[in-house]
Amino acid sequence: MTTLLSRLQQDMNAARKSGDKAAVIVLGTAISDVKNREIELQRDVTDDDVVDVVRKSIKRRREAIDMYLSAKRDDLVAKERAELTTLERYLPAQV
């Protein structure tokens, strides 16, 4: 298991214990996407594979934010931004 995947799982367990339902859902979805990627690749994932999955999740959230902004759904924009912030913590530092 990669260090990033284990960090995702540890953070999800911590969020579950603290009662942070939003973080549990976001992290659980990310872990599920990583496991699907592992099945797709037919090998164990690397940290780079996990980062790719997280980046795709972030891209989906940004696209959703744009759609919700154009539909004037501020409640959903706030939810997507919170999820985006949660996922961005797992990206490597930018150069």
Side-chain angles (χ1 to χ4, degrees), residues 1-2 5 9 31-46 49-50 53:
M1 180 181 305
T2 68
L5 180 57
Q9 290 175 334
I31 291 168
S32 175
D33 290 344
V34 168
K35 292 191 184 218
N36 287 337
R37 177 70 181 204
E38 193 170 49
I39 291 168
E40 178 185 312
L41 295 173
Q42 298 180 351
R43 63 172 170 78
D44 290 339
V45 292
T46 63
D49 296 326
V50 176
V53 169

Side-chain angles (χ1 to χ4, degrees), residues 44-78:
D44 290 339
V45 292
T46 63
D47 275 344
D48 290 337
D49 296 326
V50 176
V51 168
D52 273 350
V53 169
V54 170
R55 281 195 174 120
K56 286 178 184 175
S57 294
I58 288 172
K59 183 180 177 198
R60 278 196 307 265
R61 301 253 171 359
R62 286 186 177 142
E63 289 169 354
I65 288 170
D66 290 340
M67 288 187 335
Y68 292 146
L69 282 172
S70 65
K72 303 211 183 330
R73 292 293 311 265
D74 295 333
D75 55 330
L76 295 174
V77 169

